[in-house]
Amino acid sequence: MSEPGLFETMYQCRAIRYFKDEPVANDVIRKVLDAAIQAPSGSNRQSWHFVVVTDPAIKKTIQGYYKQSFDVYASMMAHVPPRTGVTEETQARVVKSAVYLSEHLHEAPVLIIPCLTFEQGRIAGDGAMQDMARKSLYSSIYPAVQNLLLACRGVGLAACLTTLHLMYEEPIAELLGLPENAETMALIPIGWPNAKFGPVKRVPVEEFASRNRFGQQL
């Protein structure tokens, strides 16, 4: 079966949190990671590192931290109404899948944890220049993350992006043996899907785009 085209992939790259209990071959993992690192990065520093977690004990420990973070997040969001245009049914379906992931994260065949490596240490201090430098460096990981998500969809893998583990970043970094100059930026469970791919549903682009100034009609 041929791989879907670029636009088909983007329009069907739904976040999937249900995975089959089937392993993902090393060559497939390498393929999606190779696609990830084709992304642009600030000054072409390529300051990324991807920790591929398949060890059951490590995955289970990460799931424990993730579940604690999720419970805090869920309590904060419990009384937030759905975004305009989203039905209660759709919202409930999203919440159900998020709860499921928090309880079954360790059952995903692979957890990929994108990290940034700081060649000369983290950027300290306040001020516009430091803030610009931090944002430039931090933003460098997310084109690679999006490439990874699209590549997963392209080869038929399910995946989703989350950052809830960051509440327990320090113990997770220790668990993964990260050096002091590395920092986790996201958590992506992947596996063969046990749910349907897209198409994704989005509101019209006119509601999220302006011309020249914020709020002016596109």
Side-chain angles (χ1 to χ4, degrees):
M1 184 174 63
S2 61
E3 296 175 359
L6 174 61
F7 277 83
E8 181 183 354
T9 300
M10 289 191 293
Y11 278 71
Q12 293 189 356
C13 194
R14 174 177 290 170
I16 295 181
R17 302 175 180 88
Y18 302 98
F19 307 97
K20 293 181 179 178
D21 184 20
E22 297 178 9
V24 180
N26 287 334
D27 62 329
V28 177
I29 296 173
R30 190 187 186 284
K31 182 173 184 175
V32 297
L33 287 175
D34 193 50
I37 63 173
Q38 305 311 307
S41 60
S43 301
N44 196 28
R45 301 302 297 183
Q46 302 178 47
S47 301
W48 45 49
H49 189 94
F50 299 85
V51 180
V52 179
V53 181
T54 55
D55 182 283
I58 297 177
K59 289 194 296 179
K60 181 59 179 174
T61 301
I62 293 174
Q63 182 270 333
Y65 288 126
Y66 186 88
K67 182 64 166 64
Q68 293 178 65
S69 298
F70 178 82
D71 288 345
V72 173
Y73 176 77
S75 66
M76 293 170 54
M77 300 297 292
H79 304 293
V80 176
R83 179 182 52 78
T84 302
V86 176
T87 66
E88 295 283 353
E89 181 182 7
T90 298
Q91 181 77 355
R93 188 164 58 247
V94 172
V95 170
K96 180 181 177 181
S97 69
V99 171
Y100 180 90
L101 183 66
S102 74
E103 296 172 347
H104 298 270
L105 178 71
H106 58 294
E107 297 174 7
V110 183
L111 303 180
I112 295 182
I113 303 178
C115 303
L116 277 179
T117 56
F118 300 82
E119 298 168 82
Q120 300 179 14
R122 289 179 173 82
I123 300 168
D126 298 320
M129 183 61 69
Q130 288 86 349
D131 189 44
M132 180 275 295
R134 275 191 291 268
K135 289 180 178 179
S136 176
L137 183 59
Y138 281 22
S139 66
S140 291
I141 192 69
Y142 288 107
V145 167
Q146 180 65 1
N147 269 17
L148 177 60
L149 294 172
L150 291 172
C152 285
R153 174 64 188 90
V155 300
L157 285 169
C160 67
L161 168 64
T162 180
T163 57
L164 287 180
H165 75 290
L166 293 175
M167 185 178 295
Y168 293 94
E169 183 182 5
E170 288 188 10
I172 289 177
E174 182 178 355
L175 176 70
L176 299 177
L178 298 188
E180 290 187 1
N181 70 325
E183 182 176 335
T184 71
M185 301 299 293
L187 170 61
I188 304 173
I190 69 172
W192 301 110
N194 205 16
K196 295 181 180 180
F197 286 114
V200 299
K201 296 180 180 179
R202 299 290 185 266
V203 299
V205 67
E206 287 78 10
E207 293 191 26
F208 291 108
S210 305
R211 188 178 298 279
N212 297 323
R213 293 177 62 81
F214 191 98
Q216 289 188 175
Q217 187 174 4
L218 181 63

